[in-house]
Amino acid sequence: MKISKKEFARRRKNLMAQMEPDSIAIVPAARETIRNRDVDYPFRQDSDFYYLTGFAEPDAVLVLLPGRKHGQYILFCRDRDPTMELWNGYRAGPEGATVDYAADDAFPVSDIDDILPGLIEGRERVYYAMGRHAEFDRKVMKWVNVIRSQVRTGAHPPGEFLDLDHLLHDLRLYKSAAEVRVMKKAGQISAAAHVRAMQLCKPGVAEYQLEAEIQHEFGRNGARFAAYNSIVGAGKNGCILHYTENRDVIKDGDLVLIDAGCELEHYAADITRTFPANGKFSKEQKALYELVLKAQLAAIKTIKPGNHWNQSHDATVKVITKGLVELGLLKGTVSKLIEKEAYKDFYMHRAGHWLGMDVHDVGDYKVGDEWRVLEEGMAMTVEPGIYVATDNKKVAKKWRGIGIRIEDDVVVTKDGCEVLTKDVPKTVKEIEVLMNESAA
């Protein structure tokens, strides 16, 4: 399940159509990063670069030249090298860049200093994400300065730098049918991993053992890597929003919060489920869990074309604040508590974020000073939560240390939204049935 060459070509065409006349866009690939000594982190391509090329090798540079007669899409990449390929794997080389990745022209990246200034020369504007890659920033300025030094011989340097992110990230915000298919598959694989963790969980199992089961399910279904560091937090660890140590032993009576999603073909899934280690919610756990679920379902109902980004968050705040008052964890009128943001003692994060090639994907949340209006193809998470700190002396002891979050991935459709991660149980009854069947 891959994105086609035609779609990558369409993306480049769409970007160039929005660029100003007489401009050039320059996009560097990601570089390999040392983990320790002579060991690299697993390479993962820069999302912007991959979105436009589908090219997954390091040390490459994409150049787009709208209107160039001899080809608008140029790729600089590593040259073929039999010795290095023997040690580190095959390379496409410039020939592969044209044959397999549809570049109009391709050159060895080692020749970029000689070639790229000539491509920049005569262009009025440079589209580039300045400030993101310090070392590459210096290279870009070096190339521009080479042209500036030749003004007396008739060279014409660019007069303006424009932020590429503004155009490119708006394109990435709208997911195509092919992208949705990949994200749905990533959601299905991630859902199966959550189900596996629920089935194998019991008191005495370590958090890292559940993490291993999740990673196993990802890998055996073709998703080698997680989209982010998996969170497996039992008991009070579930109250830590970005808990990733995953080292404690799960105890009887604990709730287990798992926030984990795979990455498939450079697209992320992002799911959270919370469930009782022993297969049965306590009275207090059930009350807070059903409140979070009610908030999530209310938020999902608001996600449709024409509504704005923040309506889903507002829906969760109203439901959670009202519920906390009814349960006695907050005191006062709902409207005043919302105005004072009293709910933030228990619910301190947003209800979701854009989702796509990055788990916290690109795209503006506001246009001007107004919340962005939702449109078909936008993808996001919906993830309300309640976290009662162990040292919160304002509430009865029976509530303390309970952390709950429920998260799903949704994509906006013509008349509503589709939940891409619906294959994981999330009602109290569904979870308890699944876990008790597994224990039998």
Side-chain angles (χ1 to χ4, degrees), residues 17 48 60 84 131 175 251 261 319 324 355 392 401 405 411 413 423:
D48 285 342
M84 293 304 296
K175 307 303 187 287
K251 301 187 293 293
V319 172
L324 291 174
L355 182 71
N392 188 340
R405 184 164 64 253
V411 62
T413 59
D423 294 340

Side-chain angles (χ1 to χ4, degrees), residues 24-81:
I24 180 173
I26 303 171
V27 186
R31 300 187 66 183
E32 291 176 308
T33 305
I34 295 292
R35 180 182 183 273
N36 62 303
R37 188 69 176 176
D38 56 356
V39 176
D40 290 333
Y41 283 104
F43 179 74
R44 201 277 190 182
Q45 187 58 280
D46 175 82
S47 294
D48 285 342
F49 184 92
Y50 191 85
Y51 179 82
L52 294 168
T53 66
F55 191 78
E57 294 183 22
D59 300 326
V61 178
L62 162 68
V63 177
L64 295 177
L65 292 149
R68 182 173 178 261
K69 292 180 181 180
H70 302 295
Q72 303 179 107
Y73 166 32
I74 297 173
L75 201 57
F76 292 88
C77 62
R78 300 176 303 179
D79 214 346
R80 296 296 305 274
D81 184 330

Side-chain angles (χ1 to χ4, degrees), residues 70-181:
H70 302 295
Q72 303 179 107
Y73 166 32
I74 297 173
L75 201 57
F76 292 88
C77 62
R78 300 176 303 179
D79 214 346
R80 296 296 305 274
D81 184 330
T83 301
M84 293 304 296
E85 289 179 50
L86 175 65
W87 285 94
N88 298 322
Y90 300 113
R91 300 176 177 183
E95 183 179 351
T98 55
V99 173
D100 299 326
Y101 296 93
D104 296 317
D105 275 319
F107 304 99
V109 72
S110 56
D111 294 340
I112 195 168
D113 287 340
D114 298 324
I115 298 172
L116 191 49
L119 298 174
I120 298 173
E121 198 276 328
R123 295 276 163 168
E124 297 287 345
R125 302 164 186 85
V126 177
Y127 283 89
Y128 174 67
M130 188 70 72
R132 195 191 303 171
H133 310 283
E135 185 176 342
F136 199 81
D137 290 352
R138 289 191 288 271
K139 290 184 178 181
V140 172
M141 292 313 302
K142 176 185 173 183
W143 296 322
V144 171
N145 286 332
V146 166
I147 305 167
R148 287 172 177 167
S149 71
Q150 298 170 352
V151 169
R152 291 182 182 180
T153 63
H156 186 89
E160 188 176 8
F161 276 83
L162 297 173
D163 184 20
L164 180 67
D165 289 353
H166 178 70
L167 298 182
L168 181 53
H169 291 176
D170 207 60
L171 290 175
R172 282 179 53 188
L173 183 59
Y174 297 88
K175 307 303 187 287
S176 69
E179 288 178 290
V180 171
R181 285 193 294 271

Side-chain angles (χ1 to χ4, degrees), residues 298-320:
I300 290 172
K301 285 183 180 178
T302 70
I303 298 174
K304 57 185 177 181
N307 283 357
H308 65 67
W309 163 261
N310 207 49
Q311 281 177 253
S312 57
H313 179 71
D314 287 343
T316 62
V317 167
K318 290 175 183 176
V319 172
I320 286 174

Side-chain angles (χ1 to χ4, degrees), residues 44-45 47 172-173 175 183 186 190 218 225-231 242 259-264 266-272 309 352-363 365 379-383 405 407-410 421:
R44 201 277 190 182
Q45 187 58 280
S47 294
R172 282 179 53 188
L173 183 59
K175 307 303 187 287
M183 292 178 69
S190 302
F218 290 170
F225 301 108
Y228 53 95
N229 294 327
S230 299
I231 295 169
H242 292 156
D259 187 338
C262 74
E263 181 175 280
L264 183 69
H266 290 79
Y267 286 84
D270 188 1
I271 303 175
T272 307
W309 163 261
H353 51 77
W354 300 129
L355 182 71
M357 297 185 75
D358 298 307
V359 68
H360 291 153
D361 207 31
V362 295
Y365 292 95
M380 67 199 71
T381 64
V382 187
E383 50 174 311
R405 184 164 64 253
E407 178 180 21
D408 281 298
D409 306 340
V410 305
T421 49

